[in-house]
Amino acid sequence: MNTPPSPPAAERTDGSSVRIGALVPLTRPGWVEAGQHLLAGIELAVHEVNDAGGIVGRPLELLVRDTAADPQRAAAAVDELARLGVAALAGEYHSVVARAAAARADTLGLPFLCSSAVLDALTEHPTEWVARLAPAQSHGWRIYADFLLSAGHSRIAVAAEPSVYWASGARILRDYLAPRGGTVVELDVRSLAPTAVCDELVGNRATALLLLVGHPEPAVSIVKSVRRDQRLAEIMIGAPAGQPEFAEWATLLGEDSTAIPFLRYLPERLSPLGARVETALRERLAEAPSFVAFEGYDTVAVLADVLRSHGADRARTAASWPRVAVEGTRGQIQFSRTPGISVWQWAWTPVQVVDRDPAQPDRFRILHAG
């Protein structure tokens, strides 16, 4: 596995530190900007833990591995980090990658607190070793479906690429909308150019198009094509997976980046802790932090609390998930067993549907909250 070497200070072997491994996408085809924000949150929290005395006097050390959106690379990284003696794993953004990491962590008996991935079936069977901060896809995407209905959209088209994650999202939308009078038409972008997607939208009389596709491509090309088609002047473009959250979206699309609703996992107002962390993250990133950066920070906040209370023993860490009660940047974090979810789940982080304001593209408007 070709992973960038961690700084020597991050991999001391004298036994004085408590190590956690961080899985993040830092190179393509991973969503690099999401990985950078996730890592910024993780690193900030580690810095603050150590400034406050570490884990009962022992420094918390971070071993970072780039998953590059590759499930096999992630599984190999879990093996390596387990051999290096980490007490727990944190991170990962991509759901399919997190699923591979979770399966390997479960096999090895290594606690994994997943920061951002939302796929409901994060593991194939119930496990005690894995917990998750992000809301399950079925929870967030049903809130998004409620938003669509409340905005008057019942004829929905989805431009989709083949993926367990995208297929799961389309199924959630279809199952939720059908009993409420909604229809979902799937458009396979493998066989349809962006202009052909426009023709299909007209033919199906869709009032909303959802982008269940990768970023930046083909998402950017589809948005540009739809926005330039006069027949589709009234159609709403949506991106439930959150592509418009990051600055690169606005840079690539300019005015076309606005008014595209997506899911964001933040409260309407941040707590004093959240506001303080937001300021620190903004300085670290040199831009406004995304919700993904807060997920990274909260992941380490939980792990540090568990490690302080129960030590670095892996089995004791995994056994402690149901007893977690930690103030996070977005609310009180506690884990429970949620029907249909195979891991310990925070149910639920705040969920919003937001978009970029056409009058001020770097400002987000809250359109709906769940």
Side-chain angles (χ1 to χ4, degrees), residues 30 34 53 117 173 183 209 213 253 266 272 274 278 309 339 347 358:
L173 292 169
T183 58
L209 168 66
V213 295
L253 280 165
L266 286 175
E278 179 185 39
S309 300

Side-chain angles (χ1 to χ4, degrees), residues 41-61:
I42 290 172
E43 289 180 334
L44 173 63
V46 168
H47 177 75
E48 292 186 358
V49 167
N50 287 334
D51 275 357
I55 306 300
V56 196
R58 299 170 65 191
L60 188 60
E61 294 195 358

Side-chain angles (χ1 to χ4, degrees), residues 307-320:
L307 292 169
R308 287 191 196 104
S309 300
H310 303 286
D313 180 80
R314 292 173 178 177
R316 292 177 68 188
T317 294
S320 72

Side-chain angles (χ1 to χ4, degrees), residues 102-103 106-107 121-130 337 341-343:
D106 178 54
T107 297
L122 202 56
T123 56
E124 293 187 6
H125 56 81
T127 175
E128 301 296 320
W129 294 99
V130 182
R337 285 299 191 186
I341 309 299
S342 59
V343 301

Side-chain angles (χ1 to χ4, degrees), residues 239-272:
Q243 293 94 326
E245 167 76 3
F246 297 96
E248 184 185 23
W249 179 265
T251 300
L252 292 171
L253 280 165
E255 292 182 357
D256 288 341
S257 68
T258 65
I260 298 178
F262 64 94
L263 285 166
R264 183 171 70 162
Y265 308 130
L266 286 175
E268 185 173 355
R269 288 182 180 83
L270 289 169
S271 66

